[in-house]
Amino acid sequence: MKCEEARIQLADLVTGEASQTSTKKLEQHLMDCAGCRREFAGLGELSAGLRMMEPTKPPGSLRIGFESMLQEAIRNPRSLENGAISADKTGRSANLRREDEPSIHGWLGKLVMQHRWNLAGLAFCCLTTACLQLATPADPISIASAQGKSGRKSSEQLAEVREFRRFYAELLEMRERKSGISVVLPVPPAPRSENVRAVRG
Amino acid sequence: MEKATDNELMVRVKAGDLERLGELFDRHHVRLFNFMVHLVNNRQLAEDLTQDVFHRMLKYRESFDPQHTFLSWMFRIARRVSQDHWSRIQPEAPKFIEQDGDAPESACEKPGPDEVLILSQDLEMLGKALAGLATEKREILILSQIERLRHEEIARILGCETGAVKVRVHRALKLLRAEYLTLMRGREQAV
């Protein structure tokens, strides 16, 4: 056996596919030829190394995608004919999209993904505003208004609130006029008409 | 109860019992996924392409010939899917030209005594060397060494003679060895 022929047959020997006859011939040749022996040792080690490589575990989404595709095919066999594997610009194929039936979820998802950072910013702003609102102490007018709006809605109470609001505005004007004197606004009492009258008198 | 063979399951799928494909998925999705990972070096893309293979199995189930093995049919589809992928992203550079005549034999024709490989469990480097090979070399090594398909089956997948497969496997192994040694030398110099 010549070296050239032997080296091609080595592939069979490495993969264990060589017949008994050719194995004997090859072994005889390897005994006599140091070059082929070296080559066989190198290829054998490589082959063993390749076979020892650990398989990569597929992600769980592969099964989910497959099952979804299979169920769709069972439900509607024509979907296989219409279905197409499309690819974006990078060549990455999308998971079994049906091009003739664009899905609303697909569009929405794409839109959300495109603007995800804007949406995140908006959500952050809303959250911050809400936190500031909660952290700011509520002024008595708002409380009074709120009480008027939500709870007791009698006309008398509403009139009290209006009067109290006017009183509070006057106090503010007074503070502006007498800017030299520091007028510290006290925490207004509950909007009762007798209190308002007492202060104005 | 004896388990149905791959061919029997695929015959049932072909006859319209589509749910049987689920069993074939259970048996082969890991190896198919790994085949794709080695070919495209990208897990996400490999997942999509693997899904594409199963989709085509259903779509072209009529083309399954029970006289041949299910594996050769499956890998033929897988190979077509990866070819389509490469032609989509690089239409000007066909990746699957068979290079029987132009392999750089001289690169590793006569390895010196110091070049006898000592793998010493350095599989990571071997993986890098494999990733550095041209697609068709990688493909034949994956099929023959990692998937351990018989040369006859590989010949059916690649559409060539069994003798040609042996030659290609041999050349691809030699190229892999050259690539591996280059990487090893680079690492030694860096140290």
Side-chain angles (χ1 to χ4, degrees), chain A residues 17-62:
Chain A
E17 284 189 47
S19 65
Q20 277 193 340
T21 321
S22 65
T23 304
K24 273 186 184 175
K25 279 184 186 172
L26 268 171
E27 281 175 352
Q28 184 60 47
H29 180 79
L30 291 175
M31 295 270 281
D32 301 335
C33 178
C36 285
R37 206 160 50 236
R38 214 163 33 229
E39 176 139 345
F40 175 68
L43 296 187
E45 269 193 284
L46 269 184
S47 177
L50 287 172
R51 286 164 189 235
M52 278 161 63
M53 284 169 76
E54 286 289 319
T56 311
K57 198 180 170 193
S61 50
L62 177 60

Side-chain angles (χ1 to χ4, degrees), chain A residues 65-87:
Chain A
F66 167 76
E67 280 171 2
S68 150
M69 180 268 292
L70 185 59
Q71 291 311 315
E72 175 66 19
I74 291 167
R75 238 187 346 261
N76 177 19
R78 290 195 64 181
S79 67
L80 288 170
E81 304 306 319
N82 299 330
I85 307 297
S86 57

Side-chain angles (χ1 to χ4, degrees), chain A residues 66-185:
Chain A
F66 167 76
E67 280 171 2
S68 150
M69 180 268 292
L70 185 59
Q71 291 311 315
E72 175 66 19
I74 291 167
R75 238 187 346 261
N76 177 19
R78 290 195 64 181
S79 67
L80 288 170
E81 304 306 319
N82 299 330
I85 307 297
S86 57
D88 59 20
K89 285 175 187 171
T90 61
R92 191 178 155 228
S93 56
N95 279 350
L96 303 173
R97 265 201 313 269
R98 291 186 60 179
E99 289 184 332
D100 55 340
E101 288 181 18
S103 145
I104 185 69
H105 296 102
W107 284 106
L108 270 176
K110 207 173 172 180
L111 201 66
V112 168
M113 283 306 287
Q114 273 178 357
H115 299 285
R116 61 189 182 278
W117 294 114
N118 295 338
L119 289 171
L122 191 65
F124 178 75
C125 288
C126 290
L127 203 64
T128 313
T129 313
C131 286
L132 286 172
Q133 287 272 343
L134 285 173
T136 310
D139 74 298
I141 298 175
S142 307
I143 294 168
S145 303
Q147 279 176 348
K149 278 177 191 171
S150 63
R152 303 162 294 156
K153 288 187 177 174
S154 69
S155 57
E156 191 184 313
Q157 282 171 342
L158 287 173
E160 278 181 14
V161 169
R162 281 192 208 101
E163 197 173 351
F164 185 74
R165 199 182 283 276
R166 273 198 301 277
F167 156 72
Y168 200 74
E170 280 173 18
L171 272 179
L172 287 174
E173 277 176 25
M174 206 168 81
R175 189 178 68 161
E176 281 172 12
R177 279 200 300 273
K178 300 177 180 176
S179 54
I181 307 162
S182 73
V183 177
V184 180
L185 285 175

